Amino acid sequence: MGTLPNGSLLAWVERREDTAFIGAYVGEGATPDNSIDFRGRDPATQVCRSVDEARRWIENEAAALDLPVKWIDAVPDR
């Protein structure tokens, strides 16, 4: 049995077009860290038709992982 994740998911929604939004999240500990030469993980993403749909998708994913969500305004620095 593997180790369960801990911490939080950093989540955001990006507008791509008038009718397309990208819901995205990454584990808080999976963001880039230059001090240890860690490039970070790519976020999980889903194309959605609305901000609400994107937020629901992220919240459902977080619930499945039993992790809290920290909403951020933009993609974490890469």
Side-chain angles (χ1 to χ4, degrees), residues 4-30:
L4 293 174
N6 59 18
S8 299
L9 296 180
L10 299 178
W12 62 96
V13 177
E14 301 174 44
R15 178 185 286 263
R16 289 296 166 99
E17 299 170 9
D18 286 343
T19 58
F21 298 85
I22 304 294
Y25 67 88
V26 66
E28 192 168 19

Side-chain angles (χ1 to χ4, degrees), residues 3-78:
T3 304
L4 293 174
N6 59 18
S8 299
L9 296 180
L10 299 178
W12 62 96
V13 177
E14 301 174 44
R15 178 185 286 263
R16 289 296 166 99
E17 299 170 9
D18 286 343
T19 58
F21 298 85
I22 304 294
Y25 67 88
V26 66
E28 192 168 19
T31 57
D33 185 342
N34 290 331
S35 69
I36 60 170
D37 197 28
F38 178 63
R39 81 166 194 85
R41 291 185 52 118
D42 291 334
T45 60
Q46 176 75 30
V47 177
C48 301
R49 292 185 212 157
S50 70
V51 171
D52 288 339
E53 181 182 331
R55 289 179 68 88
R56 278 192 307 273
W57 174 74
I58 292 166
E59 289 166 356
N60 287 338
E61 293 289 299
L65 294 169
D66 195 26
L67 293 172
V69 176
K70 287 185 181 176
W71 291 99
I72 58 177
D73 293 332
V75 179
D77 291 336
R78 296 227 23 102

